[in-house]
Amino acid sequence: MEDTIRMSLAEVRATALAALAAQGFSPAHAEAIANTVTMAERDECRHHGLFRMAFYVNALRAGQASPDAVPTLSDLAPGVVKVDAHGGFSPLALEVGHQPLAERARSQGIAALAVNNALNVAALWPEVERLAEEGLVAFAYVSAIPYVAPAGGIKPLFGTNPMAFAWPRANHPPLVFDQASSASARGEIQIRLRDGKALPEGWAIGPDGQPTTDPKVALAGAQLPFGGHKGSCIALMVELLAGPLVGDVLSYEAGERDKANTGAPCGGELVIAIDPLRCMAGGNREAQLAHGEKLFERLLEQEGARLPSDRRYEARKRTAVEGVLVPRSLHETLQDFCAGKGAAKLAAYEGDMLLHEQQIKSAKA
């Protein structure tokens, strides 16, 4: 397609790395961020791929993110470790904390990683997938800028508050899910605004607190949690786990700190890892995982059902060979970044992303 450029995954990573370095990120931060951006493109999770480059650059240029902060690791308890990101982005902090967390989970049976003072605009599944690849069960929780009203409320208070879970599998990639506690991602509302399509009922309310299916009104109002009070309780739980529990901020506090409206909140994250071997007498990982496979087999017997990570793994096989499609306008912006030019306005960059989604849909049609 004329409006897109096909890039190999190696080119995606090299471009992201060059752009981050040119904008002033240290080699360690540039490597960590480029890795997570490339993984997202590889799995066709595009909202967390090259699209996110403007968020990294804007936060840096606004003075809200450190380009070279060195994360520091400390022990809080035999089963709890902390990484202070010191105002840097989360990918490097998570890399620093990964192995100590895994080691303590194997030693203690269960362990937690508390990440503080980190800007997080990345997906959550990479950190739990890495742990599951080492045979551990993993959870991750992070709050975000407030976009979501609590059930019964009318004003934004919670973030979209994603959570991730990973379960190791023998002879298969881990089972992984990463989902928000809101009824929809914010990007889904933006896409419908661009396409001139109405929202499903139950996604959002307007500034007056009344239900709306108008995406423009929804973006000015508040998103809603999925499942009413049930989703609201999950969002509340994530707020507490990723904020007060680890000594960091709540979503609305992170939003107040984002003075430049970069869309890159600075706060906390909680990652939990569990070793199946230590969770039952005479633990047998092979038998425990085989037992879990029986559930997966029953699930897949049902027509139309799939495991939550299957789509990403199918995309992973395809993009390793075919590469990915990148909008020409986005590619040009990335080249500007590589040349050291300033960051794009987020509104324009979001427009690039919406165009990207339309082009991908057209290519598959």
Side-chain angles (χ1 to χ4, degrees):
M1 295 184 295
E2 291 183 1
D3 291 332
T4 61
I5 293 176
R6 188 172 294 279
M7 299 177 68
S8 69
L9 295 178
E11 290 171 332
V12 167
R13 186 179 182 282
T15 299
L17 192 59
L20 293 161
Q23 292 297 321
F25 284 93
S26 69
H29 276 285
E31 288 271 355
I33 294 170
N35 287 342
T36 194
V37 165
T38 304
M39 285 189 287
E41 288 288 344
R42 176 198 65 189
D43 288 8
E44 293 183 350
C45 299
R46 300 183 189 92
H47 277 90
H48 289 101
L50 292 172
F51 165 63
R52 291 285 172 177
M53 290 292 293
F55 290 77
Y56 291 109
V57 175
N58 275 323
L60 177 61
R61 287 188 168 256
Q64 292 185 189
S66 170
D68 55 7
V70 178
T72 54
L73 177 73
S74 57
D75 286 313
L76 300 181
V80 184
V81 292
K82 170 187 172 180
V83 174
D84 191 330
H86 299 293
F89 278 98
S90 63
L92 182 59
L94 290 164
E95 287 186 5
V96 169
H98 168 75
Q99 205 55 48
L101 172 63
E103 291 170 357
R104 283 158 180 76
R106 284 189 283 268
S107 171
Q108 304 296 322
I110 181 170
L113 167 64
V115 178
N116 291 128
N117 303 314
L119 283 76
N120 195 327
V121 296
L124 283 184
W125 54 262
E127 46 260 49
V128 295
E129 184 176 313
R130 282 195 295 263
L131 290 163
E133 287 173 342
E134 296 191 25
L136 302 172
V137 176
F139 302 81
Y141 306 92
V142 68
S143 55
I145 288 177
Y147 292 131
V148 182
I154 62 172
K155 295 181 180 179
L157 178 64
F158 301 145
T160 53
N161 288 9
M163 65 215 83
F165 170 76
W167 175 271
R169 301 180 68 190
N171 305 315
H172 293 280
L175 177 140
V176 181
F177 74 72
D178 176 354
Q179 65 185 46
S181 56
S182 53
S184 71
R186 196 156 188 84
E188 291 179 279
I189 297 177
Q190 293 166 330
I191 289 170
R192 287 174 181 263
L193 173 63
R194 184 180 179 89
D195 293 346
K197 296 181 179 179
L199 305 179
E201 294 183 2
W203 274 24
I205 54 178
D208 59 358
Q210 296 301 307
T212 184
T213 58
D214 184 329
K216 185 175 182 180
V217 175
L219 292 172
Q223 293 175 238
L224 293 175
F226 73 80
H229 286 282
K230 293 183 179 180
S232 189
C233 287
I234 293 173
L236 177 63
M237 176 190 73
V238 175
E239 288 282 338
L240 297 173
L241 293 177
L245 181 66
V246 298
D248 223 304
V249 296
L250 298 163
S251 288
Y252 79 87
E253 293 170 327
E256 290 171 352
R257 289 182 177 186
D258 187 16
K259 302 296 186 183
N261 194 30
T262 63
C266 183
E269 179 174 347
L270 174 67
V271 186
I272 300 172
I274 304 172
D275 187 347
L277 284 175
R278 306 296 295 276
C279 286
M280 59 179 287
N284 182 323
R285 182 182 282 109
E286 183 177 342
Q288 288 166 286
L289 299 187
H291 194 182
E293 290 298 318
K294 293 182 178 180
L295 176 61
F296 304 153
E297 291 169 4
R298 289 290 184 96
L299 184 153
L300 294 172
E301 286 174 356
Q302 299 191 30
E303 185 177 355
R306 66 172 179 85
L307 296 178
S309 39
D310 283 352
R311 185 210 62 79
R312 289 196 304 103
Y313 293 138
E314 290 170 3
R316 189 175 298 185
K317 293 177 183 178
R318 182 170 56 253
T319 58
V321 177
E322 300 176 359
V324 297
L325 290 173
V326 177
R328 186 174 298 276
S329 55
L330 174 53
H331 187 268
E332 290 172 354
T333 299
L334 293 170
Q335 298 308 308
D336 285 344
F337 288 175
C338 290
K341 296 180 181 178
K345 293 182 179 179
L346 285 181
Y349 217 72
E350 287 169 355
D352 286 342
M353 191 59 207
L354 301 182
L355 176 62
H356 189 181
E357 294 293 343
Q358 288 181 323
Q359 292 167 339
I360 296 298
K361 289 177 183 178
S362 298
K364 291 181 177 179

